[in-house]
Amino acid sequence: MSVNKAGIENAREHFAKLLAAQAERLEKMKEPPAPVDYAGVRPLKIGVAGGDGIGPVICDQARSVLEFLLRDEVKGGGVEFVNIEGLTIENRLRAARAVPEDVLEKIKECHLILKGPTTTPRKGDAGPNIESANVVLRRELDLFANIRPVRVPEKEIDWVFFRENTEGAYLLGSAGSLIGDELAVDFTVATLPGCERIIRLAFDYAVKNSIGRVTAVTKANVVKTTDGLFLDAFYRLASGYPEIESDDWYIDIMTAKLIDPARRSQFKVFVLPNLYGDILTDEAAQIQGGVGTAGSANIGYRWAMFEAIHGSAPRMVKEGRDKYADPFSMIRAAALLLQHIGKTGKAARLDKALDICGQFERRIAVTGRPDGATAAEITAYLQEILVRDDLESRWEEFRSGRGR
Ligand code: NAD
């Protein structure tokens, strides 16, 4: 069926409803709640949701490392781990909800969530075509910042990506219009408060960590309205941080520059709209050793969720290889959780232990197949490194090339 008057009228009505909802959302964003002060929360509840596919295997390993590092806090009643069941694809399909109501309630009772990857049905799959659980959780918990660090100390790569997490191409990704059979339109949304809060977070992070450069990545030369708003906000806010160098690049050339050895170590903190952030961080993770090595923090004012950057890897499960999945993505996420609640010393130690096991010493390695270590074996190796007294000096030896 080609485009006709009725089709255009329906799409117009649909667009009007979307705009009204976005205008309402914008007004709410102008009065953000005060961020949680974790120092005053007792017990701090960490919900653990294994997800599906390889999720439960790698999430269990991350939980065991966190429980070890927070054992005194748990014993003293300052931290409590809470099991969150029901975020599996089977349960979500049964409830025909991306995140069933009772599961969402349980998640909201926690302060922090350690979450395994969750499968999203593809168009044409059997059962209800539910939305991505992640998109729903990011929206429901208003987790507006997706922070994804990538580090390769030997190559002097130490990047932190601040990906806008609630807007862009994802917010209305399931609400596009197909007019007739031949005309498809999707919507990309940016709001000024949405751009400003992620940009500010990136600059504040740079200040707090004495990092002298923040780089925006957009395609504002082509996607002029939404990316244009983002880029204008970036330079306007940058003027309030005169001690920090600010620059911007287009997403296409940035994908090339990340693999340019002459240039890449000069980049430090990136801030970028949702879709570009999603894509660029997978490339960055590959430079670190693969998506199985990279974790992320989803930060909002009231809640924060920590997870791998990859998905549920259903093929690995189908081929019986889930126990060979790399848990380091989830364990890096656990390090971000520690950093987020102010346990910066423990977070740094965990990151260094991960560097030693995964990049430097590599006594055993995960390959995703039976010729490599299992998730449990590599975690046991990590635990062994984590308790060594000489961890810091070993790391420094490796980083400087003396440890080889
Ligand atoms: P994927 O990220 O799940 O996996 C792609 C491939 O990467 C795997 O087949 C595997 O070879 C490798 N891989 C990923 N993680 C690994 C690990 N920890 N160890 C070893 N190898 C690993 O991508 P996909 O197949 O496109 O997505 C599968 C499902 O996950 C989809 O339903 C998708 O929607 C969902 N997904 C969820 C999240 C999330 O929950 N945050 C993110 C991305 C995708």
Side-chain angles (χ1 to χ4, degrees), residues 367-382:
T367 63
R369 300 187 175 275
D371 62 351
T374 63
E377 284 164 353
I378 197 101
T379 308
Y381 171 32
L382 178 79

Side-chain angles (χ1 to χ4, degrees), residues 206-386:
V207 170
K208 203 167 153 197
N209 293 281
S210 311
I211 298 169
R213 182 173 180 184
V214 177
T215 302
V217 183
T218 69
K219 189 70 186 169
N221 52 336
V222 175
V223 186
K224 289 185 189 289
T225 312
T226 46
D227 283 7
L229 189 79
F230 191 94
L231 198 53
D232 285 350
F234 174 76
Y235 280 118
R236 212 169 31 250
L237 288 176
S239 65
Y241 299 85
E243 71 281 24
I244 294 177
E245 186 194 340
S246 48
D247 62 343
D248 80 281
W249 292 67
Y250 296 131
I251 180 66
D252 41 355
I253 188 61
M254 185 51 87
T255 59
K257 287 297 141 193
L258 283 197
I259 53 170
D260 175 359
R263 174 76 78 170
R264 61 186 177 185
S265 63
Q266 296 165 10
F267 297 114
K268 301 293 172 201
V269 172
F270 299 84
V271 61
L272 59 183
N274 209 337
L275 179 60
Y276 312 135
D278 196 3
I279 296 169
L280 201 65
T281 53
D282 268 20
E283 186 196 5
Q286 194 61 38
I287 295 166
Q288 181 180 261
V291 291
T293 68
S296 74
N298 297 271
I299 308 287
Y301 296 110
R302 288 185 59 188
W303 292 279
M305 183 171 88
F306 302 83
E307 58 174 352
I309 72 155
H310 57 74
S312 56
R315 188 171 299 128
M316 291 186 79
V317 180
K318 205 163 136 205
E319 294 172 4
R321 294 187 285 119
D322 41 341
K323 69 175 180 178
Y324 298 102
D326 195 340
F328 279 12
S329 52
M330 285 297 303
I331 301 176
R332 288 275 183 198
L336 285 165
L337 186 153
L338 291 169
Q339 197 182 30
H340 187 66
I341 59 172
K343 308 274 178 198
T344 46
K346 289 181 187 188
R349 204 173 158 80
L350 180 54
D351 270 325
K352 285 181 177 166
L354 284 158
D355 292 343
I356 292 175
C357 298
Q359 296 187 29
F360 292 144
E361 192 180 73
R362 288 172 59 86
R363 219 187 303 143
I364 54 171
V366 166
T367 63
R369 300 187 175 275
D371 62 351
T374 63
E377 284 164 353
I378 197 101
T379 308
Y381 171 32
L382 178 79
Q383 294 272 19
E384 192 192 307
I385 298 293
L386 204 47

